[in-house]
Amino acid sequence: MTAFLALLRRDLLVAARNAPMLLTATLTQPILVVLVFGNILPRLGLVADEFRTVMVPGLMSITILMAGVQGVLMPLAADLSGTREVDERILAPITIFGVALEKVVAGAIHSALAGLIALPAMMLLIHQVTGVAVRPNLLILLPLVAMCGMVAASFGLTLGTRFQPRFSGLLFAVVLGPLMLFGCAYYPYAALEVLGPVQYVFLLNPLVFMSEAMRLAVTPEVRHMPVPLMLAGLAGYLALFLWSGARTFARRTIV
């Protein structure tokens, strides 16, 4: 446990030094989307006014996903392909799974903080533009943000151990882009009933469960996925990504 905490403290210290850049990267996209879809398009009559509140938890889930994936994927992919700093971590008195878990926990902390920082910024912007107040339930929000952060970071571990840095552009275009579009970030899962059985295909997207979790915590008045299904989906994807990522991480680091 001492080695785990020491590695975690080091990663958090490095992240703290890059906080201004990370904060800018985290807040830019959700704020711009809120300005366009929450202000400009409703004034033009191109989207319904209710869309403003629907998209806030969705944008928060996207922020958590991107922060978690980028926080683990990019450093890990560069490390495994070049610097091999991970070799020093393996020599520490900690198991290979412990090293992988530490990276996930560090990424989850970064991811959760990104979501929690983005949320009040979007809430303030929505309130100033529309007068609509979003009142999240903090008792539900905090544990769900932590769990979503773990899912995002575990997903980053899985991708980071399988893709090389030179394919990062393709990864974001082919994998993360479709995930965001079909992840119920801009529409509630319950509204997909009009698609019939196709609705269940969306459950293959982990972002769906993250979006519905944030929708439950941030805008509970909006229809959302049944809580047992949502929690089962988050737990299932967390176990899958953590197992898959740690397994591939062990194969890439032990030569």
Side-chain angles (χ1 to χ4, degrees):
M1 180 59 70
T2 302
F4 181 91
L5 294 177
L7 293 175
L8 181 61
R9 184 168 57 250
R10 179 190 180 280
D11 284 343
L12 294 180
L13 179 61
V14 172
R17 290 176 177 174
N18 298 324
M21 181 180 63
L22 295 175
L23 186 62
T24 301
T26 298
L27 294 179
T28 299
Q29 181 183 12
I31 287 178
L32 290 179
V33 172
V34 168
L35 282 174
V36 174
F37 288 92
N39 184 13
I40 298 176
L41 293 186
R43 289 185 177 184
L44 297 177
L46 299 179
V47 298
D49 290 339
E50 293 79 7
F51 183 69
R52 296 163 173 167
T53 53
V54 170
M55 72 178 179
V56 170
L59 287 174
M60 187 178 178
S61 66
I62 289 178
T63 301
I64 293 174
L65 176 68
M66 296 302 294
V69 169
Q70 290 178 342
V72 177
L73 184 153
M74 301 306 292
L76 181 60
D79 189 9
L80 293 176
S81 302
T83 63
R84 297 299 302 183
E85 180 186 333
V86 70
D87 294 339
E88 299 177 1
R89 294 173 177 255
I90 295 175
L91 295 176
I94 186 174
T95 64
I96 299 297
F97 177 78
V99 175
L101 181 61
E102 182 277 327
K103 287 186 171 293
V104 170
V105 172
I109 294 175
H110 170 218
S111 177
L113 289 176
L116 292 175
I117 291 173
L119 177 60
M122 292 186 293
M123 290 171 51
L124 179 61
L125 189 57
I126 284 288
H127 181 68
Q128 288 183 341
V129 172
T130 67
V132 177
V134 178
R135 297 182 176 87
N137 187 332
L138 294 180
L139 294 178
I140 300 177
L141 177 66
L142 296 179
L144 287 180
V145 166
M147 192 169 187
C148 289
M150 287 292 293
V151 174
S154 299
F155 188 39
L157 177 68
T158 299
L159 295 177
T161 54
R162 285 171 167 78
F163 288 89
Q164 297 182 3
R166 66 175 182 270
F167 296 129
S168 59
L170 182 65
L171 174 66
F172 281 88
V174 176
V175 178
L176 296 179
L179 281 182
M180 290 187 289
L181 289 176
F182 298 101
C184 292
Y186 302 107
Y187 43 86
Y189 178 77
L192 297 177
E193 294 174 349
V194 298
L195 300 180
V198 178
Q199 178 186 22
Y200 300 107
V201 178
F202 285 72
L203 298 178
L204 298 176
N205 187 340
L207 184 60
V208 169
F209 299 97
M210 296 173 61
S211 298
E212 290 299 302
M214 294 301 97
R215 193 159 285 123
L216 170 65
V218 177
T219 55
E221 68 277 4
V222 178
R223 291 181 62 195
H224 53 76
M225 179 184 292
V227 175
L229 176 60
M230 179 197 70
L231 294 178
L234 289 175
Y237 275 112
L238 174 58
L240 173 63
F241 291 144
L242 191 58
W243 170 81
S244 175
R247 188 163 175 247
T248 310
F249 178 79
R251 288 205 305 264
R252 293 286 303 275
T253 52
I254 300 178
V255 293

